Amino acid sequence: MLGHEAAPTTDGPAGRDEVFQVEGHGIDPIPDAERHGGAKDLFWLWFGSNLTFTYVINGALAVSFGLSFWQATAVVVLGGLSFFAISAAGLSGVRTGTATLVISRAAFGVRGNWPAGLLNWVVSIGYTIVNTVVGTLALEAFLADLGWSGGHLPRALALAVTLALTFVVALWGHATVQWAERWMAYVLAVGFAALLAFVLPGADTSAPAAAPGASGWSLALVVMLAGPFSYVPMPADYTRYLPRTTSLKALTWSGGLGGLLSSVALGIAGVAAATQADLTDAVAGTEGLLPGWFQPLFLALVLGGSVTNSIITLYSSSLNLQVLGIPWSRARAILVSAAVTAAGSLGALFLVDFTTSLLSFLSLLIIVFAPWGGVFLADMVLRRCRYDSAALHAGEHGAYWYRAGRHPAGIAALLAGMLFSALTCDSELWTGPLVAPLGGADLSLLGAVVAAAVHVLLARRTVRPAGTA
């Protein structure tokens, strides 16, 4: 599958991208005649998928690192602004009609792209498991409030419901994903607005006793930016059906504004809650700040947010498996991702609590994905987002085969960025040797800048837009 790529498998009749119908395409290029929708669809996709309790936790973490209310709020806003870059990267999907991890073959080569593609699938499934566990525990607590608690049955039912809500939407595919994100966003936005109204008035806006220092600022920035950065391998997955006439400006503003509004609102809610209560257990701590009548609704919000985020990660994971060479349709490939997600969630909920260890492992992968994102985005700019769409699927017979399937400039830039990130990373599983000399600062995200700069330096004379001499 790493040589001459077989024609990507489709799931059904051409042109089938309708709500509640199994999507008829995978990573195969979407023909112009089947393109539809508009940039405004991206607002609801990124707005809805980021109405997740994760951002409340991130905001609380910023306060735990020693930042004041206003300092933490500034970091939350900075993290939200990064969604404009993520949304702009979706132009590659408009131009090529295919998924992000297919397009990244141009930067790394067909074979060079494979390791990061595998790791991205692991990350997607890992975060889907985490979201599923959080949603399941919230639904279990909701059932307990209704008087049904004790034994494994309520938890098993909660897990089944959470998995079903996620899997069915992702299985139907692109059109249903966008429809679900929009309608769930309507409901979740109202609920989370109420949450913000309850916790914001009591926020302690006074300055902390001591300045947070380089360590506090850098850790808070890593937490806030890691979420948006994790989407870098995904934006084209949701723009590949848009007409070629869709403009970069429209894409950037629609998707960026959607991600900004939801992530910032929930991040500020977490910041405000953390100045009033112990959020070591973020769900329980936040729940304690709410009136009794709203607490069951709050648990439903946590469940809904977990599902909206899991839907897009699970959907993209099915495209990811096709990129890795599994010769199945997207709908069949998603069964693999769903089965692994279910098994991981069962293990975390009933056998051993490895959720904390899984989160630590996933956070460590910033060493790979920050540099990967830097190379991909730099390469996209060098090419002015113009690719040879046929060559992306042509394997060893295409322009992106380079040397034995690897692009030396992209691989070298990726390794340089990974080295910088590893040396400056401060996580539970690994602390780089430069962290202490830097005063405890975690600069691992700057691996993206290092990788981008090296790629531009090495590839500026050879990488150019498709169709130019």
Side-chain angles (χ1 to χ4, degrees), residues 119 123 127 222 226 356-371 418 421-432 442 444:
L119 281 176
V123 170
Y127 278 118
V222 167
T356 301
S357 299
L358 179 60
L359 278 171
S360 298
F361 169 69
L362 293 172
S363 66
L364 186 62
L365 290 182
I366 194 72
I367 291 174
V368 177
F369 284 103
M418 287 174 60
S421 292
L423 291 173
T424 58
C425 177
D426 183 15
S427 71
E428 292 185 17
L429 298 181
W430 167 260
T431 300
D442 183 338
S444 55

Side-chain angles (χ1 to χ4, degrees), residues 63-119:
V63 174
S64 74
F65 295 144
L67 274 65
S68 70
F69 175 86
W70 292 113
Q71 289 170 335
T73 297
V75 174
V76 167
V77 172
L78 182 61
L81 289 172
S82 64
F83 276 102
F84 286 96
I86 303 302
S87 187
L91 182 63
S92 59
V94 174
R95 293 276 176 82
T96 63
T98 192
T100 304
L101 282 168
V102 175
I103 300 165
S104 60
R105 290 169 174 170
F108 301 100
V110 176
R111 283 178 170 164
N113 190 54
W114 200 91
L118 178 61
L119 281 176

Side-chain angles (χ1 to χ4, degrees), residues 207-451:
S215 175
W217 279 105
S218 65
L219 288 172
L221 283 167
V222 167
V223 166
M224 294 303 170
L225 292 170
F229 247 90
S230 69
Y231 291 124
V232 173
M234 296 185 190
D237 301 2
Y238 304 100
T239 59
R240 68 196 205 281
Y241 278 94
L242 293 179
R244 292 183 188 273
T245 55
T246 306
S247 71
L248 173 61
K249 180 179 179 180
L251 279 177
T252 303
W253 276 101
S254 295
L257 193 60
L260 171 73
L261 291 176
S262 52
S263 64
V264 168
L266 270 63
I268 292 175
V271 171
T275 64
Q276 305 169 64
D278 179 9
L279 259 64
T280 304
D281 182 339
V283 173
T286 305
E287 188 178 13
L289 298 173
L290 305 173
W293 64 267
F294 188 74
Q295 291 176 5
L297 297 177
F298 166 69
L299 294 173
L301 289 175
V302 175
L303 169 63
S306 297
V307 170
T308 60
N309 196 257
S310 291
I311 285 171
I312 67 167
T313 55
L314 188 61
Y315 173 79
S316 286
S317 76
S318 64
L319 299 175
N320 198 157
L321 286 175
Q322 287 191 312
V323 174
L324 292 175
I326 291 182
W328 292 349
S329 66
R330 184 203 60 83
R332 289 182 64 193
I334 207 170
L335 295 173
V336 177
S337 295
V340 176
T341 299
S345 301
L346 281 168
L349 290 164
F350 293 101
L351 299 178
V352 57
D353 183 9
F354 67 87
T355 307
T356 301
S357 299
L358 179 60
L359 278 171
S360 298
F361 169 69
L362 293 172
S363 66
L364 186 62
L365 290 182
I366 194 72
I367 291 174
V368 177
F369 284 103
W372 186 94
V375 175
F376 173 72
L377 294 175
D379 189 78
M380 189 177 72
V381 172
L382 285 175
R383 298 178 192 278
R384 296 200 291 258
C385 207
R386 298 189 182 279
Y387 300 88
D388 182 338
S389 298
L392 290 170
H393 299 275
E396 62 184 311
H397 300 288
Y400 303 125
W401 186 250
Y402 303 112
R403 297 181 186 174
R406 298 171 183 86
H407 188 198
I411 299 299
L414 175 63
L415 292 175
M418 287 174 60
L419 176 62
F420 180 89
S421 292
L423 291 173
T424 58
C425 177
D426 183 15
S427 71
E428 292 185 17
L429 298 181
W430 167 260
T431 300
L434 295 185
V435 172
L438 290 168
D442 183 338
L443 303 182
S444 55
L445 277 174
L446 290 181
V449 178
V450 171

